[in-house]
Amino acid sequence: MTAEPGQRIVRSRLEQEAVLIPPRHVTETIEVLTSHESVRRFIPRGLDDGMLDAILIAARSAPTSSNLQAYSIVVVQDRAHKERLAQLAGEQQFIAEAACFLLFCADIGRLRYISQRQGRRFGADTLEMLLLSSVDAALAMQNALVAAESLGLATTPIGAVRDFPRTIADELALPRGAYVVAGLCVGFEAPGARRGVKPRLPEQVTVHHERYDTGGLEDGIRAYDETMIRRGTYAGRQLSAGSGPEHAGRQYGWAEHTSLRCSEPGPDAPALLGRPQLRRDLEECGIFFD
Amino acid sequence: MTAEPGQRIVRSRLEQEAVLIPPRHVTETIEVLTSHESVRRFIPRGLDDGMLDAILIAARSAPTSSNLQAYSIVVVQDRAHKERLAQLAGEQQFIAEAACFLLFCADIGRLRYISQRQGRRFGADTLEMLLLSSVDAALAMQNALVAAESLGLATTPIGAVRDFPRTIADELALPRGAYVVAGLCVGFEAPGARRGVKPRLPEQVTVHHERYDTGGLEDGIRAYDETMIRRGTYAGRQLSAGSGPEHAGRQYGWAEHTSLRCSEPGPDAPALLGRPQLRRDLEECGIFFD
C-alpha cells in the first residue's frame, strides 16, 4: 500500500492516537521514538562523517544485563557484501541499497573465551544466556535505530537474518557462540518512501495496570482490524483467500493475517513464522543449552 | 562505589570516550542515549501528569517483528504491589521506591488466542517465537527507558525478574504463554544517586567492520580491566578472593568478575548467572518449544 494521492501521511503516533500530553513532556526524543516507521527505499548516498560514530556509541550505551555486554555489532558498508547479505536475508534487495547494514549479534562466544582466559570452565550454556545475549543485542539495536532516526536517517530492522543463521555467521566470520539476532538498514530514504507510521494495537490490548486484564482484548482486536483494513495494510498481501465455508464473510485484518502466520500449516495456512529448525541452526553456530 | 569527594561525575559517554562527532550530529536524542546510567535510589514522588502516557506510547512505537506485537506491559504503581515484586526480584528494595515499575512481558499467549479465535491451531510453539517475543519486549522496554530519561527521569532495568518467572507471572495474573523478560524502574532520582556512566568495553571489542575480527580483543579486555579497576567498580564486590596459587597476582577486573559469573560453580566460582532451570520455569508459564 502506498498513500493515495492527496492522502496525508501521518508521521507521529502522538497525532495518530490523538494522545494528550502536556507539550513540555513531548521531548525531541519522544517525537523521534513515536515517529518510527520502517523505510524500505533508500537513495545511493553514504552517511555523513560522524553519523556512524554517533550511532555506534549510542548502541554501545544501551543497558546490558550484569554488564556482560554479550553482543557484538558487525557494520557492513561494502556493496558486494551487502548484496550477499540481502540475498541471505530473504532476497530483500533494499538491504543492499541502504548506506549501511548493521548486524546485531548475541555473543556468548566472548563470554566463553573470558572463562577460558581466566582458567575456568564456562558454565552458562543455558537458555537464560541465549535470552540474555539476544536481549542485549536487541537493546543495542534499538539505541542504534533511535540514534539514526534522530539524525534524520531512515531505518528498517531485519528479522529474516534468522532464516539461515549458520550461513550468515559464516559470511560475517562470527566466532562459535555468536549468531545474528537482527539486522538494521540505515540510510537516506528515497522520496515518497514513507507511508506513515503503522498503527499499533490499542493500548488496552498491550498495556495493563497492576495486573494483566483481558477485559479490553476483544474490543481492541476488532477496532484494530477495522483500522488496518481501512488503511489498506493487507490489500494485495493476503496470505489466503480463506475460501472454505468457515471463512465466509470473514474480514481479512490483523487477526486473520496474524493467525495465518502463526498457525499450523494447512491448505489455507502457510507456515511462515516459527522457524522450527532454529534450535538446530543455533547449535551449528555453537550455541547450546539444556 | 560512590564518587569520591571532589571527583567529577562523567555524565555522558561522548565525553568519557572523547568521541569526536560534529556538533550538528549530536542530537538531543543522542545525548540522552549516551548518558544512560542505571540509578537505584529514588525520592518518593509520583510521575507528573502525562509522563506515563508519553513513556507508554513511546514503548508501543518500538519496532515489532512481523507486526506481531508479541509483548505486553504491566504498569505497577501500587506501593504494596511494588513491595511484593521487589522481594520477588532479588529483594531489591529500590524497586518499591521508584514511582513506577514497568514489567515487559514476552506474550505468545495472545498469539495463541488469535489462532484459536480465527479457528486455527497454533503452530508456533518454537524457540524462534520465544526469541521473537522476548526481543519485542526488549525493544519496547528500551523505548520506554529512553523516553523516561529524556523527561529527566531515572531508570533501572531489572533482569532478576527471571529468577522466579512463574511466581511473578502469578503475581501479575499473566495468561499462559507470557513471561516477564525484564522490569524497568522509573522515577525521580535521589540527590547523589548518580555515579557517572559506566564505561563500556572498547569499541574494538564489540564493533567489527565487514567481518568479525578478534585482533583487538586482548588489548581491549586489558584496557577495560584497567579502566574498571581504576574506577573502583569491583571494590567490595569481589565474588572470590581467588586464593589458589593459580590466582596469585591476578587483577580483579571485568574479566575476572565476568568469568566468575559465567563459570561452572566451584570453590571459588559461585554459579550466579545462567539460571539452569529457566526452561522448566517457562514451561510452567505455558511456554513450550522443541
Side-chain angles (χ1 to χ4, degrees), chain A residues 13-14 17 19 21-22 25 27-30 33-34 48-49 51 54 57 60-63 66-69 72-78 81 84 107 110 113-115 117-118 120-124 126 128 131 134 138-139 142-143 146-147 150-151 162 171-175 179 198 200-201 203 205-212 217-218 221 224 228 247 250 254-256 258-264 268 273-275 278-279, chain B residues 13-14 17 19 21-22 25 27-30 33-34 48-49 51 54 57 60-63 66-69 72-78 81 84 107 110-111 113-115 117-118 120-124 126 128 131 134 138-139 142-143 146-147 150-151 162 171-175 179 198 200-201 203 205-212 217-218 221 224 228 247 250 254-256 258-264 268 273-275 278-279:
Chain A
R13 285 189 188 81
L14 294 172
E17 301 196 9
V19 183
I21 296 171
H25 292 335
T27 60
E28 176 199 291
T29 302
I30 286 172
L33 294 168
T34 54
D48 298 351
D49 280 350
M51 282 182 164
I57 196 165
R60 293 171 50 239
S61 296
S66 299
N67 199 31
L68 295 186
Q69 305 180 60
S72 287
I73 304 170
V74 182
V75 180
V76 174
Q77 295 179 284
D78 176 76
H81 202 190
R84 283 197 300 280
D107 194 344
R110 189 190 300 126
Y113 172 78
I114 296 286
S115 276
R117 180 185 191 271
Q118 302 300 109
R120 297 194 174 84
R121 182 188 293 269
F122 188 65
T126 59
E128 160 66 13
L131 288 173
S134 301
L139 299 176
Q142 186 57 15
N143 263 19
V146 173
S150 84
L151 290 166
R162 294 195 301 272
E171 181 67 35
L172 300 174
L174 298 190
Y179 86 100
K198 187 180 283 186
R200 295 297 191 224
L201 281 165
E203 187 173 304
V205 174
T206 43
V207 178
H208 308 270
H209 292 272
E210 302 302 330
R211 283 174 186 79
Y212 200 104
L217 179 61
E218 264 303 318
I221 293 171
Y224 191 54
M228 295 297 269
H247 298 294
R250 179 184 290 179
W254 178 80
E256 182 70 354
T258 296
S259 87
L260 281 164
R261 302 204 72 185
C262 295
S263 297
E264 283 190 356
D268 76 336
L273 284 172
R275 300 187 171 96
L278 186 64
R279 183 170 183 174
Chain B
R13 284 189 188 81
L14 294 172
E17 301 196 8
V19 183
I21 296 172
H25 293 335
T27 59
E28 176 199 292
T29 302
I30 287 172
L33 294 168
T34 54
D48 297 352
D49 280 352
M51 283 183 165
I57 195 164
R60 291 171 50 239
S61 296
S66 299
N67 199 31
L68 295 185
Q69 305 180 59
S72 286
I73 305 169
V74 182
V75 179
V76 174
Q77 296 180 283
D78 176 75
H81 202 190
R84 283 197 299 280
D107 194 345
R110 188 190 301 125
L111 299 177
Y113 171 79
I114 295 287
S115 276
R117 179 186 190 270
Q118 301 301 110
R120 297 193 174 86
R121 183 189 294 269
F122 187 66
T126 60
E128 160 66 12
L131 288 173
S134 300
L139 299 176
Q142 187 55 16
N143 264 18
V146 173
S150 84
L151 290 166
R162 294 196 300 273
E171 181 67 36
L172 300 174
L174 299 190
Y179 85 101
K198 188 180 281 185
R200 295 298 190 223
L201 281 165
E203 188 173 302
V205 174
T206 44
V207 178
H208 308 270
H209 291 272
E210 302 302 331
R211 284 173 185 80
Y212 200 104
L217 179 61
E218 265 302 318
I221 292 171
Y224 191 54
M228 296 297 268
H247 299 295
R250 179 183 290 178
W254 178 81
E256 182 70 355
T258 296
S259 86
L260 282 164
R261 301 205 73 184
C262 295
S263 297
E264 284 190 355
D268 76 336
L273 284 172
R275 299 186 172 96
L278 185 65
R279 182 166 185 178

Side-chain angles (χ1 to χ4, degrees), chain B residues 137-205:
Chain B
L139 299 176
M141 182 186 82
Q142 187 55 16
N143 264 18
L145 180 153
V146 173
E149 294 189 351
S150 84
L151 290 166
L153 297 166
T155 72
T156 321
I158 306 288
V161 289
R162 294 196 300 273
D163 284 344
F164 303 105
R166 172 62 188 277
T167 315
I168 294 213
D170 287 347
E171 181 67 36
L172 300 174
L174 299 190
R176 303 275 298 163
Y179 85 101
V180 180
V181 178
L184 185 70
C185 302
V186 178
F188 288 93
E189 71 202 59
R194 282 185 192 267
R195 301 160 40 180
V197 290
K198 188 180 281 185
R200 295 298 190 223
L201 281 165
E203 188 173 302
Q204 71 203 68
V205 174

